Every structure is written in structure tokens, then in C-alpha cells.
Amino acid sequence: MRSLEEFATAKLGELDRASLHRRLADTTRLDGIWALRNGRRLMSFSCNDYLNLSRHPAVAAAAIAALERHGAGSGASRLVTGNHPLFAELEARLARLKDTQAACVFGSGYLANTGIIPALVGPEDLVLIDELAHACLWAGARLARATVLPFRHSDLAHAQALLETHRPRHERALIATDGVFSMDGDLAPLAALAALAQRYDAWLMSDDAHGIGVVGGGRGSSFAQGVRVDVPLQMGTLSKAIGGYGGYLCASAAVIDLIRNRARTFIYSTGLPPAMVAAAIAALDVIEQEPDYAALPLVKARAFTRHLGLPEAQSPIVPLIVGEAEAALAASRLLEDEGFLVIAIRPPTVPAGTARLRFAFTAQHPDADIARLAHVVRDRVLTNQPPAATAPAYGA
Ligand SMILES: Cc1ncc(COP(=O)(O)O)c(C=O)c1O
């Protein structure tokens, strides 16, 4: 048997040779759009804090007040003594936003997905999943030990063909998709998937991690086309546009009751700290009271795609597919030289051969900087030209 050290070293060598060895970089977020990294102040286009609410004064004040009143941690699972009173308020607010009967807050989005799916389906059942769905939807599907069949990205005909063949052999079926795809920024065809789910008696589940707060008037991807699509399982996270941490599911009262009784990541994990719950409530206040502000990340992303002649952004996320991991890293370094922080996204986060720059736009990115970023991308990344002699020095 090989030693643990040998195993780890050999694996890391493989990752190095493929330009896939990831390393943590100290990053101090200075405010909504600035980050301090490698000793430089960079304008970040890699943060999911789309509404810059993590530092919003009302959000921070709510978190501080909750921390002082209820303490730093919740102290136990919510089913034991961890269910501080702020949870009920947040769950009511989420259910109202998503127009469902009820909601359940989890410790994180990852915990939500890995708890919800195995609570609803098991070895006798079928999970159809978009091939580009987030890793934690996949993890939930695998944990359920169901038959898991991927369908080609947003390909309704493929999903239908799989249902036609496989649905009759399974007792229950669930269709899982991102609402806004995390690495591509496109929207799932939720209305058509809902119709398909209805036809084949399957349950549709959307992961709206990147939709809540910023698409569909802040209500998320189920509302993106101006009408409410009936998605019975609307999951999401509080860690992106909401600016804090935590996950949730919005669904019917019966489903939420069942989840609280069956989802292992809910039952056997400590309740979210009070400060995070209070912060999320305050963030929802901002989103509901300032719809024009909540619309800004998409406006900014669209300005960027217009500058570059890319397909119009559907969400605050814009990918620029570069191909190989090494090329994506080089493009990211080049942008860093120009004062922009745009992280290269590599396999296994995205499929092999589709390494990319992933631009995330926030409400507070100035238009002039978006124009300059687009200019640099067009002149330097897309053509791979040598550095300009006089690059403006952000963060000098
Ligand atoms: C689509 C999607 N789902 C779920 C998650 C996990 O959420 P969390 O960070 O709250 O665990 C993320 C990101 O992290 C995501 O992008």
C-alpha cells in the first residue's frame, strides 16, 4: 500500500502538470468592488456579492445587533435548541418573496442541496439533472442513491427523451437544474421544464443561488420571464446577492415540514448563526425596497456584453471561454496586471477544454471601469497582445 504522503504528492504532481493545482490566495475585500491581493488593490469581477450587500450599513447593523442579542452561534441543531426566533422571520420573508407557502433555512446552499434531494428521492427513483448543474446538486443526487441521468445543457428534447424511456421504471422522479447557471450565467428554460415535469409527473427543483436578488425583480429565476413559473422546489443560497451565508428551500408547507423531519443536513447540523439570519432579513429589505438598485448587476453585465459584442447577458455572470486551463490562467494574470481581479475557472468546476474567465458584475461597478475592462479584454485577452506600456495603475 502506498503511503498517504506518497499518494498526496503524486496526485498534486498530476494536478500541477495539468495546470489544475489550486492554491489559496489571501484576499482582503476592502469594500463592494475592491480587493487587496498580492499586495495590490484590484477591482474585483469575481465576487458573487452582486448587490454589495455584505458591507451595506443596514445589513451590518442588523448582524451586529443579532450577535449582541443572541450570541455568536446558535449552539445546536435547529431541532434541539438552535432555532432562535430570527429563523421564523427569515423563512416567512423568503416564502413571501418566492410566493410559496413555506421555507426552510439551512446552514449553506451546499448543505441544502445535499439534504433536500436524498430526503425526497431514493434508490427506487430517478433524478434527471442538467449536465452543467452545480456540483452540490450533483452531490445531492448521488447521495440519494437514485438513478441519476444527466441531460444535455438546457436541452428539453433530450430531457423528454430520457423521461419517455426511464420514467415508467421509477416510482418518483425529480428534475434538477440551476435557475441561473453558475459558470455560464444563462437561465434555465424553467417554464418548459415545468411543463415537462408536469407531463411526466416529475418534481422540478431549481437552484437559484445566482438568481435571488438579481433576476426576476429580485425574486429569482422562476420570475425572470415576468410571470411566475410553478417550480415546487426553489432552493437557493444567502451567500451571493444576499451578501451573507446560508441556504434555503422554498416549497409547500407539507414539503417543508417533511424536509425538517428528513433532511439529514438540516437535522444533524448546527443552526445558522443569528447574525447571518438577521443580515439576510436586512438584505431582503434592501432588495424589496430598492428594485432599481437590485436591477443594476444585470444592467452592468449587459453593458459589458454590448462592449464586446457577446450574446446579451441574462444574469450578472458573463463567461469568456478560453479553452485550456493554462490559457485561462494566463488571461487572468494579464487582467491582474491591468488592475482587475478575474479568476480563471478550470476543470473540474467546468468541463475539460472550457476553462474560462468568469466575470461577475455588481451594482457598484462604475460604467467607465466596465468599459475599460472590455477594452482590455478585447485588445489583450482576445488577441493576446503584449502589455501596453502605460497600463493605468489601480491600487497604486
Ligand atoms: C449554483 C450554486 N448552488 C449552490 C451553491 C452553494 O451555495 P453555498 O455557497 O451557500 O454553499 C453555489 C455556490 O457556492 C452555487 O453557485
Side-chain angles (χ1 to χ4, degrees):
M1 197 175 80
R2 279 162 67 195
S3 78
L4 181 57
E5 293 308 305
E6 257 181 82
F7 166 74
T9 310
K11 276 284 169 203
L12 289 171
E14 280 170 29
L15 290 173
D16 266 331
R17 283 188 291 283
S19 298
L20 295 178
H21 188 169
R22 304 176 193 209
R23 291 184 174 81
L24 292 171
D26 277 358
T27 308
T28 305
R29 292 182 59 221
L30 299 172
D31 64 19
I33 55 171
W34 295 101
L36 196 61
R37 203 180 223 208
N38 300 329
R40 289 186 70 203
R41 187 166 172 262
L42 301 166
M43 184 177 284
S44 172
F45 286 88
S46 280
C47 188
N48 300 318
D49 187 9
Y50 300 119
L51 296 171
N52 314 102
L53 292 182
S54 69
R55 284 177 170 261
H56 190 287
V59 174
I64 291 165
L67 188 140
E68 284 174 347
R69 174 136 193 246
H70 298 284
S74 65
S77 160
R78 292 185 57 190
L79 288 169
V80 183
T81 56
N83 195 41
H84 50 78
L86 295 166
F87 276 116
E89 188 182 344
L90 176 58
E91 289 175 341
R93 292 290 300 274
L94 287 166
R96 191 174 84 197
L97 186 75
K98 296 285 186 175
D99 192 19
T100 59
Q101 290 173 346
C104 177
V105 167
F106 286 77
S108 74
Y110 202 108
L111 287 172
N113 278 338
T114 50
I116 296 162
I117 301 178
L120 298 175
V121 292
E124 305 300 311
D125 303 323
L126 175 67
V127 176
L128 240 61
I129 182 167
D130 188 289
E131 62 182 344
L132 297 187
H134 192 263
C136 58
L137 272 177
W138 277 93
R142 290 194 175 119
L143 272 176
R145 292 179 295 130
T147 300
V148 180
L149 299 176
F151 59 93
R152 286 190 290 274
H153 178 49
S154 291
D155 185 335
L156 294 160
H158 190 213
Q160 178 166 1
L162 291 173
L163 283 166
E164 192 65 39
T165 309
H166 298 276
R167 178 69 187 93
R169 296 184 207 146
H170 299 276
E171 199 180 332
R172 292 179 287 265
L174 186 140
I175 303 176
T177 181
D178 288 17
V180 174
F181 284 87
S182 60
M183 295 298 137
D184 295 81
D186 53 335
L187 299 181
L190 285 180
L193 283 172
L196 210 55
Q198 179 85 25
R199 180 161 162 205
Y200 287 89
D201 184 23
W203 304 328
L204 180 58
M205 174 170 178
S206 66
D207 176 336
D208 209 26
H210 298 274
I212 187 171
V214 286
V215 300
R219 304 181 77 185
S221 51
S222 307
F223 299 84
Q225 311 306 335
V227 287
R228 175 186 186 278
V229 177
D230 190 15
V231 180
L233 299 161
Q234 298 182 61
M235 171 272 165
T237 171
L238 308 173
S239 64
K240 307 199 191 291
I242 307 297
Y245 198 62
Y248 66 85
L249 174 69
C250 291
S252 71
V255 168
I256 293 300
D257 200 4
L258 179 68
I259 289 296
R260 289 182 181 145
N261 281 276
R262 292 282 303 278
R264 298 175 68 83
T265 55
F266 177 83
I267 301 168
Y268 300 109
S269 186
T270 298
L272 204 59
M276 280 300 100
V277 181
I281 295 168
L284 291 175
D285 285 341
V286 177
I287 290 164
E288 287 180 355
Q289 288 161 16
E290 299 181 42
D292 292 347
Y293 182 73
L296 281 176
L298 183 54
V299 170
K300 306 277 179 183
R302 285 189 170 153
F304 181 70
T305 51
R306 242 190 339 271
H307 281 304
L308 282 173
L310 295 172
E312 184 177 66
Q314 296 176 32
S315 75
I317 303 163
V318 178
L320 190 72
I321 296 180
V322 175
E324 295 311 313
E326 183 48 49
L329 287 172
S332 172
R333 280 194 297 267
L334 189 153
L335 288 179
E336 188 168 331
D337 289 345
E338 296 280 351
F340 299 119
L341 181 58
V342 185
I343 304 296
I345 308 289
R346 297 170 276 168
T349 304
V350 292
T354 72
R356 67 196 64 188
L357 295 175
R358 173 189 182 275
F359 298 88
F361 292 87
T362 75
Q364 291 175 10
H365 279 119
D367 295 339
D369 292 291
I370 293 172
R372 193 176 87 76
L373 173 67
H375 181 79
V376 173
V377 168
R378 188 176 51 240
D379 290 0
R380 303 272 321 279
V381 175
L382 296 178
T383 59
N384 218 356
Q385 288 180 358
T390 53
Y394 276 119

